[in-house]
Amino acid sequence: MLDALQRLGATALGVAERMGRGHLFLLHVLGGFPALLPRFGMVVKQMYSVGVLSLVIIAVSGLFVGMVLGLQGYNTLVDFGATESLGVMVALSLVRELGPVVAGLLFAGRAGSALTAEIGLMKATEQLSAMEMMAVDPLHRVVAPRFLAGILSMPLLAAIFSALGVVGGYFVAVGLLGVDDGAFWSQMQAKVDLHEDVFNGVIKSVVFGFVVTWIAVFEGYDTVPTSEGVSRATTNTVVHGSLAVLGLDFVLTALMFGK
Amino acid sequence: MMHSRTVQIWVGLFVIAGLAALLMLSMKVSNISTFTETEGYEVTAHFENIGGLKVRSPVTMAGVVVGRVANIGFDKESYEAVVTLNIQNEYDNIPADTSASIFTAGLLGEQYIGLEAGGAEEVLTAGSELELTQSAIVLEQIIGQFLVSQADKE
């Protein structure tokens, strides 16, 4: 009985301690951002591995998610003779929810895991300690550019996802199912609001990018420096990153769209 | 590691693609013109029942959108709805005796205001009131009337 209580207490303390370390880590990394501006090339290099290399999976997923939305939405709407609203349905679901969320999940899987493994291996092979020996702060030199690259890339990836999704929905609706071309776009333009829908979607993707990258670099930096520890940290990044995206999406949706 | 020039070109392309996607979402998917509210003048109209009319519902003339509903209020004395219409400045020759009716787009679609031009010489200006109005058709009322008339027959 007392043992169980002790274990519970130890777990809770461990979680609280890790949270505290995570926030201190975040503050320290954010402190390194101003020094990045004159050396933006480091961020560009990271945006290549975080953003550009994620582009293919984001683009293909976006296109197919849009096409499936078009097909399934048509089946429901055709019963009510409201197939002209297909564009509204596809655009709203992509811009508000699916774009930021699915792009966030893919981002955690594709870019987050790579970041964790890279930083974790640097720690396991004591490259980070070597930097400290040379009076180079690894949080500023290694973590900060990756973090900033993640925050900058995620909204762009989410926008590409949504835009290609709309194009995919358009191909299926107009090309395959024979929905009227003009009605598809004009209904969409009438119902989708720039501020309400598009901007809020962008805000969501910025928040997801921040949280997923934070989890990824922290898991990598905080890893147990063994091969098993790195593999567990990589798994943690994907699992916790995805859960964070889904949980935060509910909170943000309730704040933005729940009156 | 790839040549740093190649990396930079790819990142440049990535940023352009991302910004282009954002631009497409704001221009093509949402309507950017609703963001920059066009200048217009406001006229009011009293309706017995506005049904499901909402602020920002379109105001049309011959099917063309000429303005938007700016505000919906309630007149405490006549127990009627007061609807303020914002009509774009370019439509400045609408006759003063124009009538306004509330229509429904399609059977179950959104409601909008349709204007029908009158024949008066003077035109609508800011603050004018539309005297001739026709309320929204409430489906439940019509069904109710139909049921009553059927019951009377038997």
Side-chain angles (χ1 to χ4, degrees), chain A residues 120-121 124 223-231:
Chain A
L121 266 177
T223 181
V224 181
T226 58
S227 43
E228 197 195 354
V230 173
S231 99

Side-chain angles (χ1 to χ4, degrees), chain B residues 87-124:
Chain B
I87 298 175
Q88 289 165 32
N89 275 341
E90 62 178 297
Y91 308 105
D92 54 0
N93 59 344
I94 300 174
D97 60 347
T98 294
S99 66
S101 325
I102 298 180
F103 294 126
T104 310
L107 190 58
L108 300 166
E110 284 213 1
Q111 292 190 305
Y112 65 96
I113 293 187
L115 299 179
E116 210 152 313
E121 289 283 315
E122 55 278 34
V123 296
L124 285 179

Side-chain angles (χ1 to χ4, degrees), chain A residues 31-120:
Chain A
F33 275 9
L36 281 177
L37 286 178
R39 289 186 292 167
F40 206 73
M42 293 201 311
V43 182
V44 170
K45 205 176 261 175
Q46 292 308 323
M47 275 181 82
Y48 180 78
S49 58
V50 171
V52 176
L53 295 181
S54 310
L55 213 48
V56 175
I57 187 159
I58 290 280
V60 173
S61 317
L63 206 59
F64 277 90
V65 166
M67 279 157 63
V68 169
L69 272 178
L71 277 175
Q72 295 293 358
Y74 184 81
N75 283 339
T76 312
L77 291 173
V78 78
D79 291 343
F80 303 102
T83 48
E84 283 75 22
S85 303
L86 197 57
V88 183
M89 202 207 84
V90 170
L92 274 187
S93 16
L94 276 168
V95 168
R96 281 182 170 188
E97 297 292 338
L98 289 175
V101 171
V102 179
L105 296 177
L106 291 171
F107 186 75
R110 168 64 187 77
S113 58
L115 282 178
T116 308
E118 192 183 10
I119 297 176

Side-chain angles (χ1 to χ4, degrees), chain A residues 44-45 47-48 51-52 55 91 95 153 156-157 159-160 162-163 166-167 185 188-189 191-195 198-199 202, chain B residues 1-2 4 6-8 10-11 14-15 17-22 24-32 34-35 56 110:
Chain A
V44 170
K45 205 176 261 175
M47 275 181 82
Y48 180 78
V52 176
L55 213 48
V95 168
S153 301
L156 297 175
L157 290 172
I160 292 172
S162 298
V166 171
V167 171
W185 290 114
M188 191 193 292
Q189 286 170 0
K191 295 276 172 61
V192 180
D193 189 65
L194 181 66
H195 187 79
V198 178
F199 284 179
V202 173
Chain B
M1 195 70 205
M2 249 200 255
S4 75
T6 329
V7 167
Q8 282 165 1
W10 272 108
V11 173
F14 167 59
V15 172
L19 293 181
L22 268 181
M24 180 209 161
L25 288 179
S26 42
M27 303 287 281
K28 187 91 186 172
V29 174
S30 75
N31 200 348
I32 201 150
T34 61
F35 192 59
R56 292 196 44 74
E110 284 213 1

Side-chain angles (χ1 to χ4, degrees), chain A residues 222-244:
Chain A
D222 204 49
T223 181
V224 181
T226 58
S227 43
E228 197 195 354
V230 173
S231 99
R232 188 171 302 159
T234 313
T235 314
N236 275 349
T237 295
V238 178
V239 173
H240 294 170
S242 308
L243 288 178

Side-chain angles (χ1 to χ4, degrees), chain A residues 204-222:
Chain A
K204 270 187 181 178
S205 62
V206 173
V207 173
F208 296 163
F210 185 90
V211 171
V212 169
T213 323
W214 179 19
I215 290 174
V217 290
F218 180 66
E219 286 287 352
Y221 188 76
D222 204 49

